[in-house]
Structures are given as C-alpha cells and as structure tokens.
Amino acid sequence: GKKKCNYCNRAIALLQSRGLNFTYFSMDDTEDELLSLFTTYDWRTVPLVIEVKNSDNKFIGGYDDLVKRLQIEISEKNDQQVD
C-alpha cells in the first residue's frame, strides 16, 4: 500500500476491526517492487491484497475485493452454523 492511500487505510482498519492477522508493506519508497507486483498480479492500483497460507500466495485484489471476500466468509460461516 501507500501511506496517502485512503483505500489502503480502509483495508488496514477493516482487517484490524475483524481481528485478522496481516502484514502491511508500505510501497512508497519501493516503486520498482510495486511495479513488479503490478505485473505479477496484472493489477494497477493499491492496495494489493494477497492472502498467504502455508507459503501459498492467493491474490485477493483491492479494497473492494477484500470487503467482498470477508462478506462471503462471514456468510459461509453463518450457513455452517445453521446446518
């Protein structure tokens, strides 16, 4: 993410409010790395949300994609509780 990015700050606040573990990397001073990530994930904006499980990277997307992902996970948990 970038320090002056509202969507980056919103993603951080959302993850914190859910009590989820995450690592934030400021890309303000690492433009080459950011461009490399843009190419790797075919994405052009920040934040770039990547889920890491057991050393596997799964690209989620940006802030809106993160919100959708968390809503789906909550919905699935609620469905499991009903069964």
Side-chain angles (χ1 to χ4, degrees):
K2 293 205 171 211
K3 292 176 187 170
K4 293 184 179 183
C5 165
N6 287 329
Y7 285 105
C8 298
N9 294 331
R10 291 169 76 180
I12 291 167
L14 177 61
L15 293 167
Q16 287 174 336
S17 73
R18 299 283 173 94
L20 299 171
N21 291 325
F22 69 95
T23 303
Y24 170 81
F25 294 98
S26 174
M27 304 304 283
D28 288 295
D29 299 323
T30 56
E31 205 64 31
D32 288 340
E33 284 182 54
L34 182 58
L35 292 174
S36 176
L37 289 169
F38 284 164
T39 300
T40 299
Y41 294 107
D42 193 24
W43 199 255
R44 298 289 174 254
T45 60
V46 290
L48 286 119
V49 181
I50 302 166
E51 179 180 22
V52 179
K53 279 188 179 177
N54 303 322
S55 300
D56 293 326
N57 294 345
K58 180 177 180 182
F59 181 67
I60 303 299
Y63 172 75
D64 291 334
D65 302 296
L66 174 63
V67 170
K68 289 176 192 171
R69 172 67 179 263
L70 292 176
Q71 288 172 341
I72 289 169
E73 288 179 2
I74 288 171
S75 177
E76 288 174 352
K77 285 181 185 178
N78 289 341
D79 288 345
Q80 289 174 358
Q81 291 175 356
V82 172
D83 292 341

